[in-house]
Structure formats: structure tokens, C-alpha cells
Amino acid sequence: MFKNAIVRIPGRNFDAGLTSVSLGRPEFDLVLEQHARYCEALVECGLAVTMLDADLRFPDSTFVEDTAVITAHGAVLTRPGAASREGEVEAIRPAILRHFPSPLTIDAPGTLDGGDICEAEDHFFLGLSHRTNEEGVRQLAAHLAGLGYTSSTIDVRGMTSILHLKSGISYIGDNTLVVMEEMAPQFSGFDLIRVGLDESYGANCVRVNDRVLVAAGFPRLTEDLLARGFDPLVLEMSEFRKMDGGLSCLSLRF
Ligand code: CIR
């Protein structure tokens, strides 16, 4: 069960962040509206939400997930792979320290984005991506082993359609992974909810206590979740998608 979430309100310069997709410019009023609804949803799921102020130094800083990996046994501050995002870690450190007084760290030359890290019970999948390098994975695997977890590496560098590992897979509890079709063969041993190409953005969903947050516009995935006994909570994400962001990146949950 999660009790807390940390989020950061998007800044007015949100549209100056990094993106690899051509879906148009995010509309700021809608960004704020979708973010507010996302925060409400976390409250509906029973979480106490810490809302950090917008930080105009870092246009991508609303994607807080990339700055830390938080487990039940301890937290790790990351070192994001995009130079424009490196300073986000110092900016979030005080909020993490309030809950985890001695976080571990990822140090140079390691780089690691939280979006590449997928926790499935006591095992972590560590995505090797264009943001997370081998040294970052090595350091995190060692930290996780010290905290009592196992881990394995999934190389997503050849997959041009996703930014992070968790753009393509989500562990939603009950031994179930939501996974983009092309990644499915790597995850035997789990019950898989496969997501086709046309719904692949939906693969980034988030189990929060009794609910599964899922992006609006992916009816087959939502039906599959219902059919397997999950309780989807559908959220409009159009403006975050324009900046390569998904549901999981908007919060740290613990
Ligand atoms: C970036 O490119 O870093 C941001 N525009 C999007 C980050 C999304 N984060 C995530 O999926 N964990």
C-alpha cells in the first residue's frame, strides 16, 4: 500500500522541456487542469500528496519520477541522463529527505532516470536506455541488492518508440505486467496484458492501492484491465504526452 506521493506543479515554461514526439505544443491551462485532476486521483486512492511549487529553472521538473527511486526499504536519488534535468535532483532532495533521511545516490559517470526502473514486488527491472547508462544500472543494482532486492537489466536502447523502460511496461500487482506487444517475450512468468501498437502509450499505467491509473483513449486496455479484475481510473494525459510524459512520471509514490 502507498501512503504518500510527491508531485511538482508544472511551470509556465513546461512547453520548453524535452520531447521527441510531434504532437503539437501543450496548452498550459489544460496542462494545469490535467495535473490537478491527476493529484485529485492520487487523493482518491488514499494518498497524502505533497505538492511542490513549479520550478521554472527546469521545464521538465513536473516529471518527478525521474529524480528518485523509492522503495519500501529506502530511497535512491538519481542522476538524470539529460543535461537539462540534472539539477532537478538537488531541487527535490529536501522533499525526499523529509521521508528518507539518508538516501543513496547515483554518481558520475552513472546516469539513471527513474522512468527506467520498474518494481515488480521484490524484483526490479532496470532499463538501459538513452538516459540510463550501464554504470547507472550497475550502481542501482548494487544499492538494491543492499536493500534486499534482486534486479535484472532490460535493454531498450534499440526501441525508438519509447523513452524509458516504463513507457513500455508497468507492473500492476497480482503478478501482472501491462506490456507493449513487442516487449512481451522478455517477461515470461508473469500474467501479461499485452498492448498493441495503436494503444502503446497506455502501457504506462500505475497501480495505486486498489486502483490502476490508466490514460484516457485506450478502450481495449481499459476493458482488459476490467476483465482481469482491476479497477481502472482513467485520466486525460494529452498535454503530458506531447512532452513524452506518462502517468508514472508525474509522481513519486511510497
Ligand atoms: C523528458 O524528456 O525527460 C521529459 N520531457 C519527459 C520525461 C518523462 N518521464 C518518464 O517517463 N518517467
Side-chain angles (χ1 to χ4, degrees):
M1 289 289 280
F2 293 132
K3 293 195 173 120
N4 298 285
I6 298 174
V7 301
R8 188 182 288 286
I9 295 172
R12 189 161 289 286
N13 58 352
F14 175 69
D15 64 356
L18 303 168
T19 188
S20 65
V21 292
S22 312
L23 295 172
R25 248 180 108 157
E27 202 182 300
F28 189 56
D29 288 347
L30 212 46
V31 172
L32 290 182
E33 191 180 308
Q34 291 179 3
H35 193 264
R37 176 65 197 117
Y38 179 88
C39 295
E40 257 174 40
L42 294 178
V43 172
E44 281 168 32
C45 294
L47 305 193
V49 179
T50 300
M51 271 205 221
L52 306 177
D53 290 339
D55 187 338
L56 297 179
R57 295 171 301 166
F58 306 111
D60 277 316
S61 57
T62 195
F63 300 119
V64 288
E65 173 180 60
D66 293 319
T67 61
V69 175
I70 301 193
T71 77
H73 300 155
V76 181
L77 290 168
T78 67
R79 186 165 177 270
S84 64
R85 303 198 58 192
E86 240 183 84
E88 291 179 28
V89 175
E90 276 317 296
I92 204 150
R93 184 190 293 271
I96 303 285
L97 288 182
R98 249 172 260 137
H99 297 273
F100 301 92
S102 322
L104 299 160
T105 56
I106 301 295
D107 300 314
T111 62
L112 188 134
D113 281 14
D116 278 316
I117 309 308
C118 177
E119 179 175 6
E121 308 299 345
D122 288 340
H123 186 79
F124 283 73
F125 295 109
L126 313 180
L128 195 53
S129 72
H130 296 295
R131 297 288 178 87
T132 296
N133 66 16
E134 287 181 5
E135 176 59 16
V137 162
R138 193 195 62 73
Q139 290 181 27
L140 184 63
H143 290 330
L144 290 172
L147 295 172
Y149 298 103
T150 56
S151 63
S152 55
T153 304
I154 307 282
D155 191 342
V156 298
R157 288 174 297 186
M159 293 185 63
T160 47
S161 65
I162 59 173
L163 176 65
H164 290 123
L165 173 66
K166 268 192 298 196
S167 319
I169 62 162
S170 308
Y171 181 71
I172 57 168
D174 305 318
N175 199 46
T176 304
L177 276 173
V178 177
V179 60
M180 274 170 65
E181 192 67 68
E182 61 185 296
M183 298 174 79
Q186 299 179 74
F187 298 99
S188 55
F190 288 92
D191 296 327
L192 300 183
I193 297 183
R194 292 162 186 259
V195 184
L197 253 192
D198 54 331
E199 295 208 352
S200 62
Y201 177 79
N204 179 264
C205 39
V206 191
R207 174 77 182 259
V208 185
N209 299 340
D210 296 336
R211 311 293 303 270
V212 178
L213 310 188
V214 58
F218 305 106
R220 271 206 311 284
L221 172 58
T222 307
E223 275 164 34
D224 283 352
L225 288 166
L226 282 167
R228 305 271 188 117
F230 292 97
D231 186 5
L233 197 169
V234 178
L235 293 170
E236 190 52 69
M237 287 291 291
S238 62
E239 304 314 287
F240 297 102
R241 186 178 185 183
K242 291 174 181 173
M243 303 306 291
D244 269 334
L247 283 163
S248 69
C249 9
L250 289 179
S251 60
L252 288 163
R253 306 155 298 274
F254 49 96

